[in-house]
Amino acid sequence: MAFRFRRSARLGPLRFNFAKSGLSSISVGGRGASFNIPVSRSGGPRTTVGLPGSGLSWSVEQTADRPAAIPAEAAAGLPNSRRLRPGQLESLKHKLLEVLHQQLFSPGSAGRQLWELGLVSRLLSGGSLGARTADHFLAVIETPEAMEAYLLRAQSQGDAKRRAHRCIEAATDAARLASARGWLRQA
């Protein structure tokens, strides 16, 4: 077993992580949620969310081969302040729904096939998925109505964006799982 050296130092909200070779990465956040930017380590920026004390966490690394599913130009007209004026939150939710429909569920896309062929319901009823995947991700996009209701329940701008990203992750996972089973038609 090889020895590892890890040391970190805090400066305000930033944590500098050191390895034997020097500065390895810079982190922002703390228990429960953090964002890590590599300096000398390999890989891309990493976001980690977890339940402190439980040992459960979820981590996503942004890489060049996995670009963001919603392009920046599609969100250019959205309000970007922390405080929204009355009516702006509803406008944001509807704009996010419009972007999701255009980017993920356009006619002929894999996302549209998921709905037209009932593949998400088929995946959920198959019983071969773990409880985490079935309960928290795929159910939010089972039907167009389910996705719309899920997104429209958002209580804030951040909540709406998180829900939109969860829909993107669910559609990506569902398409991957359906493709692996040979259920999707080739475009």
Side-chain angles (χ1 to χ4, degrees):
M1 176 166 68
F3 287 99
R4 289 177 46 186
F5 171 79
R6 181 172 175 261
R7 178 78 181 151
S8 64
R10 272 205 177 277
L11 180 62
L14 301 176
R15 181 175 42 227
F16 297 90
N17 303 306
F18 298 93
K20 284 190 284 188
S21 59
L23 182 62
S24 173
S25 63
I26 301 171
S27 300
V28 177
R31 290 176 53 97
S34 67
F35 182 71
N36 186 286
I37 303 164
V39 175
S40 65
R41 72 165 173 82
S42 61
R46 178 175 304 220
T47 303
T48 303
V49 178
L51 295 171
S54 69
L56 299 173
S57 66
W58 179 65
S59 186
V60 174
E61 184 174 324
Q62 189 68 25
T63 59
D65 62 332
R66 188 190 322 165
I70 297 180
E73 63 272 3
L78 298 177
N80 198 21
S81 66
R82 290 271 182 212
R83 298 178 129 185
L84 298 175
R85 291 187 293 271
Q88 282 187 314
L89 180 58
E90 292 305 312
S91 174
L92 172 67
K93 291 179 199 178
H94 289 288
K95 184 65 174 177
L96 286 171
L97 273 172
E98 183 182 312
V99 170
L100 287 172
H101 278 285
Q102 288 174 354
Q103 299 296 322
L104 297 175
F105 300 102
S106 59
S109 68
R112 179 62 69 164
Q113 287 183 46
L114 291 172
W115 284 344
E116 289 173 350
L117 302 174
L119 299 180
V120 179
S121 300
R122 194 170 166 189
L123 285 168
L124 288 169
S125 66
S128 61
L129 300 175
R132 179 179 171 269
T133 303
D135 293 341
H136 298 291
F137 287 100
L138 300 184
V140 301
I141 62 153
E142 186 171 5
T143 62
E145 296 80 17
M147 184 179 79
E148 183 174 338
Y150 175 72
L151 195 57
L152 292 179
R153 284 193 307 265
Q155 298 296 312
S156 67
Q157 177 180 359
D159 187 26
K161 289 180 180 179
R162 278 188 295 278
R163 287 172 183 257
H165 283 286
R166 180 165 284 170
C167 290
I168 292 166
E169 292 167 1
T172 304
D173 286 347
R176 180 183 50 80
L177 291 167
S179 291
R181 288 168 172 78
W183 294 345
L184 285 177
R185 295 186 300 253
Q186 297 300 322

